[in-house]
């Protein structure tokens, strides 16, 4: 299929990195004359950018593939494809079982125009080669966000940690850091185009490390360089890793008002025995020391986390350790799941998935219930405080109100018919729920 003004439709699933990857894909295809469409019924090329982090993420895609292929019933030259982590994990299986026309892994997006050009019914195309160099650093992503306020910038790809439950190292390959000059140029370009916030993305941003001749750039130094672009450009980053999280990063965060005071700090479990089995290279004590260090240097820093309930061999004692850690830390919010065994991972190959689903569900619900209380406590503590908020747009609940995040990443909602997306406003917190700060606009 030649590319001349062919329309491309992409559904994006999973993490923020996939959102940014979809923006990279649109840029690569636009360079070849493809046009983006949000209407599947008019698309010549239909694809999903997929996630493999849990089984239900993949199950959902099998359903989407059927829907995609229905388009072929009425328009026979439509091409369908799967890209991203599920493409990398399942490879040819998607061609055989899914009957899609092309499959591309996270490091093969430069090759997408050729895969699409060569693909035809009966001649499916695939590229799932992982790379040690690819960072798409020279590609200017086509932004898909609607508000033009906040944008993602991938600073690195892959991960070398190989936590025992995780598929990422197999679907995204080894860690490689992007040339800092291209990151700063992209951030500056976004600011010049009116964006007010960038989120620096990596599976493990703390291990960002760029070395070229005698020049070495750590994550702390990169953060500082981006902060220098403008005090009106806010910087966020995700995801941190407790084992590599340094005081250096904390000091840089404390030094610049425009670096947002929020850290997403996945703990996964509160039990040292389970952390070791997960190959998380820190202990409960190390994690708690890092949290108290964060609060020592940045007292009002927002802290959120990820947790897995019911990992292989987890006992009630281990579970209680997780609950007590959640009680001690008092996270603002958390992403909470029970263990979903992923094929090919270290835990799948070595440990029986021996915690039954009833126990997994009960333990997960206990964590969710506790976190609900801790979130409410955390949001209540902000009542009476004044925050500088970056307006993102109308509130979902009541479009007459505006919403935006405070530096600590908490969503603020307030009545306002003056300001617009991209404005900074000061608000006073007058009330809250366990997920939103109710505010009044200050003059
Ligand atoms: S740090 Fe662990 S959990 Fe996170 S992406 Fe890497 S291997 Fe997966």
């Amino acid at each position: 299929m030649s590319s001349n003004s062919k329309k491309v439709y992409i559904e994006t699933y999973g993490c923020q990195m996939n959102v940014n990857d979809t923006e990279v894909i649109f840029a690569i295809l636009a360079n070849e004359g493809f046009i983006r469409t949000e209407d599947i019924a008019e698309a010549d090329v239909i694809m999903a950018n997929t996630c493999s982090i849990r089984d239900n993420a993949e199950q959902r895609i099998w359903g989407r593939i059927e829907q995609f292929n229905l388009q072929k019933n009425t328009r026979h030259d439509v091409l369908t494809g799967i890209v991203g982590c599920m493409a990398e994990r399942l490879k040819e299986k998607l061609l055989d079982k899914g009957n899609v026309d092309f499959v591309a892994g996270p490091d093969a997006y430069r090759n997408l125009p050729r895969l699409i050009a060569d693909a035809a019914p009966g001649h499916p195309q695939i590229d799932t080669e992982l790379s040690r160099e690819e960072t798409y650093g020279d590609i200017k992503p086509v932004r898909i966000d609607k508000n033009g306020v906040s944008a993602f910038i991938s600073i690195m790809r892959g991960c070398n940690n190989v936590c025992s439950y995780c598929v990422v190292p197999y679907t995204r390959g080894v860690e490689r850091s992007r040339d800092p000059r291209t990151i700063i140029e992209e951030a500056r370009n976004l600011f010049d185009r009116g964006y007010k916030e960038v989120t620096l993305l990596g599976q493990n941003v703390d291990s960002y490390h760029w070395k070229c001749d005698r020049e070495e750039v750590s994550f702390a130094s990169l953060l500082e360089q981006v902060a220098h672009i403008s005090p009106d450009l806010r910087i966020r980053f995700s995801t941190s890793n407790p084992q590599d999280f340094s005081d250096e990063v904390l000091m840089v965060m404390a030094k610049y008002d425009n670096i947002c005071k929020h850290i997403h700090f996945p703990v996964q479990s509160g039990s040292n025995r389970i952390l070791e089995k997960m190959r998380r290279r820190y202990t409960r004590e190390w994690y708690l020391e890092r949290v108290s260090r964060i609060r020592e240097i940045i007292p009002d820093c927002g802290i959120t986390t990820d947790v897995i309930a019911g990992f292989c061999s987890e006992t009630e004692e281990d579970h209680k350790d997780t609950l007590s850690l959640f009680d001690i830390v008092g996270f603002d919010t958390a992403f909470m799941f029970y263990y979903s065994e992923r094929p090919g991972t270290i835990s799948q190959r070595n440990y029986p998935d021996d915690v039954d689903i009833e126990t997994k569900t009960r333990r997960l619900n206990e964590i969710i219930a506790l976190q609900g209380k801790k979130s409410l406590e955390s949001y209540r503590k902000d009542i009476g405080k004044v925050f500088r908020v970056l307006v993102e747009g109308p509130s979902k609940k009541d479009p007459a109100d505006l919403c935006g995040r405070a530096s600590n990443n908490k969503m603020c909602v307030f009545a306002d018919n003056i300001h617009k997306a991209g404005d900074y406003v000061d608000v006073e917190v007058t009330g809250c729920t366990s997920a939103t700060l109710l505010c009044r606009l200050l003059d």
Side-chain angles (χ1 to χ4, degrees), residues 226-355:
V226 179
H228 282 151
I229 292 171
S230 165
D232 292 331
L233 180 67
R234 270 186 171 182
I235 298 121
R236 297 186 182 278
F237 56 85
S238 185
T239 298
S240 299
N241 193 308
Q243 79 203 41
D244 302 320
F245 188 74
S246 68
D247 282 9
E248 210 196 345
V249 169
L250 266 180
M251 299 306 179
V252 170
M253 288 179 74
K255 194 169 154 193
Y256 296 88
D257 286 347
N258 61 332
I259 300 179
C260 291
K261 306 301 180 272
H262 166 247
I263 298 167
H264 186 60
F265 216 42
V267 67
Q268 305 300 6
S269 173
S271 151
N272 283 339
R273 192 182 69 81
I274 294 296
L275 286 172
E276 192 177 344
K277 216 173 172 85
M278 287 177 163
R279 289 170 50 92
R280 299 289 285 178
R281 292 182 188 76
Y282 53 85
T283 60
R284 165 196 180 90
E285 293 73 22
W286 167 274
Y287 187 89
L288 292 172
E289 182 281 333
R290 291 285 81 195
V291 169
S292 48
R293 186 74 173 142
I294 291 169
R295 289 180 169 154
E296 182 192 329
I297 309 265
I298 308 174
D300 285 340
C301 190
I303 305 179
T304 54
T305 198
D306 298 344
V307 67
I308 297 173
F311 185 68
C312 313
S313 81
E314 186 188 71
T315 63
E316 279 306 314
E317 276 324 292
D318 298 319
H319 173 54
K320 288 200 179 80
D321 286 344
T322 298
L323 290 173
S324 66
L325 182 140
F326 266 62
D327 200 34
I328 293 166
V329 174
F331 295 107
D332 301 333
T333 61
F335 295 97
M336 302 165 278
F337 300 93
Y338 58 62
Y339 174 58
S340 167
E341 185 181 73
R342 305 310 293 133
T345 56
I346 291 172
S347 55
Q348 183 264 328
R349 286 183 269 133
N350 297 289
Y351 313 130
D353 182 7
D354 54 6
V355 179

Side-chain angles (χ1 to χ4, degrees), residues 40 116 211 378 393 410:
I40 193 171
I116 293 169
K211 194 169 183 319
S378 159
K410 289 177 179 170

Side-chain angles (χ1 to χ4, degrees), residues 159 161-163 165-166 168-169 203 241 280:
C159 188
N161 288 323
V162 198
C163 301
Y165 53 83
C166 185
V168 170
Q203 308 290 349
N241 193 308
R280 299 289 285 178

Side-chain angles (χ1 to χ4, degrees), residues 100-308:
V100 296
D101 301 296
F102 61 89
V103 167
D107 289 345
Y109 297 151
R110 285 182 202 273
N111 207 7
L112 263 176
R114 186 190 63 73
L115 295 176
I116 293 169
D118 295 351
H123 294 284
Q125 300 292 312
I126 182 164
D127 182 349
T128 52
E129 196 68 33
L130 284 174
S131 162
R132 289 182 167 279
E133 284 82 38
E134 183 61 85
T135 64
Y136 304 114
D138 59 320
I139 307 280
K140 296 194 173 9
V142 172
R143 302 294 162 180
I144 59 177
D145 64 278
K146 297 256 180 326
N147 68 3
V149 170
S150 188
F152 297 128
I153 300 181
S154 294
I155 64 170
M156 59 197 298
R157 298 182 73 81
C159 188
N160 292 349
N161 288 323
V162 198
C163 301
S164 61
Y165 53 83
C166 185
V167 288
V168 170
Y170 310 98
T171 60
R172 284 185 167 270
V174 296
E175 224 161 66
R176 61 225 100 124
S177 297
R178 193 176 147 190
D179 182 333
R181 288 160 292 197
T182 66
I183 297 168
I184 292 153
E185 187 206 334
E186 186 175 334
R188 186 172 281 116
N189 172 276
L190 284 163
F191 184 65
D192 295 345
R193 289 165 51 194
Y195 281 80
K196 292 290 179 50
E197 182 179 85
V198 293
T199 301
L200 306 181
L201 296 178
Q203 308 290 349
N204 176 11
V205 292
D206 298 296
S207 58
Y208 174 90
H209 182 248
W210 170 261
K211 194 169 183 319
C212 181
D213 304 333
R214 274 190 298 284
E215 189 197 358
E216 279 199 61
V217 179
S218 68
F219 179 56
S221 150
L222 175 71
L223 206 47
E224 184 150 28
Q225 293 181 49
V226 179
H228 282 151
I229 292 171
S230 165
D232 292 331
L233 180 67
R234 270 186 171 182
I235 298 121
R236 297 186 182 278
F237 56 85
S238 185
T239 298
S240 299
N241 193 308
Q243 79 203 41
D244 302 320
F245 188 74
S246 68
D247 282 9
E248 210 196 345
V249 169
L250 266 180
M251 299 306 179
V252 170
M253 288 179 74
K255 194 169 154 193
Y256 296 88
D257 286 347
N258 61 332
I259 300 179
C260 291
K261 306 301 180 272
H262 166 247
I263 298 167
H264 186 60
F265 216 42
V267 67
Q268 305 300 6
S269 173
S271 151
N272 283 339
R273 192 182 69 81
I274 294 296
L275 286 172
E276 192 177 344
K277 216 173 172 85
M278 287 177 163
R279 289 170 50 92
R280 299 289 285 178
R281 292 182 188 76
Y282 53 85
T283 60
R284 165 196 180 90
E285 293 73 22
W286 167 274
Y287 187 89
L288 292 172
E289 182 281 333
R290 291 285 81 195
V291 169
S292 48
R293 186 74 173 142
I294 291 169
R295 289 180 169 154
E296 182 192 329
I297 309 265
I298 308 174
D300 285 340
C301 190
I303 305 179
T304 54
T305 198
D306 298 344
V307 67
I308 297 173

Side-chain angles (χ1 to χ4, degrees), residues 309 338 356-366 368:
Y338 58 62
D356 60 61
I357 191 66
E358 292 72 28
T359 306
K360 280 181 179 177
T361 310
R362 172 184 53 78
R363 289 178 184 169
L364 177 61
N365 289 340
E366 287 174 9
I368 292 172

